[in-house]
């Protein structure tokens, strides 16, 4: 969905490096999410945020941190990247309560940690 | 946490055929969504369907919340339907869990 953008789209880095993945949305949604996708495992939730001051850990938050800089921006950081963090990362947004809380996904960031 | 199981894991269809994909979940849910991931990796929401039946063109979905399952129907399949179909549920604590998907290949 063009209303949800992710940068970079592809990144190759080395073990131990700090990496930041960024997500921006123009949908005006309150809720934002970060997922990772690994072959055969579907999507797993890393962190989610229901508003700027509300950030929650998901299923697999170890080794990751997030920052919700504004309603429209949600960044995911890998403080010290390791090879098993190689995956496809998706950001998503949803409107929140009071509406069908449908999630809209960004195009994904393919991260490779060597 | 809530368990989400999708079946079948893989499906090959001849163009024009119909199919039914199933999603079972282990606990009550606040909402349920179906997504399609195309071969280029893009994820598109198909249905927001915590209960009841919805239709959108050749696709329809039914969720029976009391029996903890949802079905996605694809009729007159086309090659552009190929990809992976995911079911995702949100539990009472507002945590979202995805199934591992059904990989569909539609051949001409």
């Amino acid at each position: 969905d063009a209303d949800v953008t992710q940068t970079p789209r592809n990144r190759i880095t080395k073990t131990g490096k700090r990496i930041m993945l960024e997500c921006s949305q123009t949908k005006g949604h309150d809720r934002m999410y970060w997922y990772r996708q690994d072959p055969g495992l579907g999507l797993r939730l890393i962190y989610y945020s229901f508003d700027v001051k509300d950030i929650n850990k998901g299923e697999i938050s170890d080794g990751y941190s997030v920052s919700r800089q504004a309603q429209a921006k949600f960044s995911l950081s890998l403080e010290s990247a390791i090879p098993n963090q190689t995956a496809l990362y998706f950001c998503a947004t949803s409107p929140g309560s009071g509406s069908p809380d449908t999630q809209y996904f960004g195009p994904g960031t393919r991260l490779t940690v060597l | 946490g809530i368990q989400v199981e999708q079946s079948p894991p893989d499906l090959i269809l001849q163009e024009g055929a119909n199919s039914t994909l199933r999603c079972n979940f282990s606990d009550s849910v606040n909402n349920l969504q179906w997504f399609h991931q195309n071969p280029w990796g893009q994820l598109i929401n198909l249905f927001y369907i915590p209960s009841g039946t919805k239709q959108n063109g050749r696709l329809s979905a039914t969720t029976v919340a009391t029996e903890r399952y949802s079905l996605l129907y694809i009729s007159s399949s086309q090659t552009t339907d190929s990809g992976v179909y995911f079911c995702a549920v949100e539990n009472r604590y507002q945590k979202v869990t995805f199934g591992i998907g059904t990989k569909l290949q539609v051949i001409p």
Side-chain angles (χ1 to χ4, degrees), chain B residues 8-62:
Chain B
D10 296 278
L11 186 59
I12 299 175
L13 293 177
Q14 200 78 38
E15 198 169 26
N18 303 327
S19 64
T20 301
L21 282 56
R22 187 176 180 101
C23 172
N24 292 332
F25 42 97
S26 61
D27 202 351
S28 58
V29 297
N30 287 347
N31 80 56
L32 185 146
Q33 296 177 73
W34 284 97
F35 295 90
H36 175 224
Q37 186 172 36
N38 66 22
W40 296 272
Q42 186 179 12
L43 277 157
I44 303 295
N45 65 75
L46 299 174
F47 294 101
Y48 174 90
I49 187 166
S51 63
T53 297
K54 291 185 177 179
Q55 181 158 5
N56 185 4
R58 296 181 296 102
L59 302 181
S60 64
T62 295

Side-chain angles (χ1 to χ4, degrees), chain A residues 47-57 66-68 74:
Chain A
Y47 272 95
Y48 60 106
S49 170
F50 285 175
D51 66 39
V52 175
K53 296 182 180 180
D54 179 32
I55 293 177
N56 306 281
K57 292 183 177 181
V66 291
S67 172
R68 184 84 183 263
F74 193 35

Side-chain angles (χ1 to χ4, degrees), chain A residues 1 31 33 35 37 40-45 48 50 57-59 88 90 99-107, chain B residues 31 33 35 37 40-48 54 84 86 88 90 93-101:
Chain A
D1 192 313
R31 297 184 175 186
Y33 309 78
Y35 294 90
Q37 185 176 25
L41 292 180
L43 278 78
R44 292 181 292 167
L45 184 62
Y48 60 106
F50 285 175
K57 292 183 177 181
E59 184 184 348
L88 185 56
F90 285 100
S99 308
D101 202 24
T102 302
Q103 293 199 8
Y104 297 86
F105 282 81
Chain B
N31 80 56
Q33 296 177 73
F35 295 90
Q37 186 172 36
W40 296 272
Q42 186 179 12
L43 277 157
I44 303 295
N45 65 75
L46 299 174
F47 294 101
Y48 174 90
K54 291 185 177 179
V84 183
F86 291 103
E90 180 181 295
Y93 306 110
Q94 299 181 317
K95 282 201 172 178
V96 177
T97 303
F98 277 71
I100 63 172

Side-chain angles (χ1 to χ4, degrees), chain B residues 2-7 21-27 32 34 67-71 87 89 99:
Chain B
I2 194 167
Q3 305 299 312
V4 181
E5 295 182 355
Q6 291 187 242
S7 59
L21 282 56
R22 187 176 180 101
C23 172
N24 292 332
F25 42 97
S26 61
D27 202 351
L32 185 146
W34 284 97
E67 297 186 20
R68 299 181 184 168
Y69 73 89
S70 183
L71 303 174
C87 166
V89 302

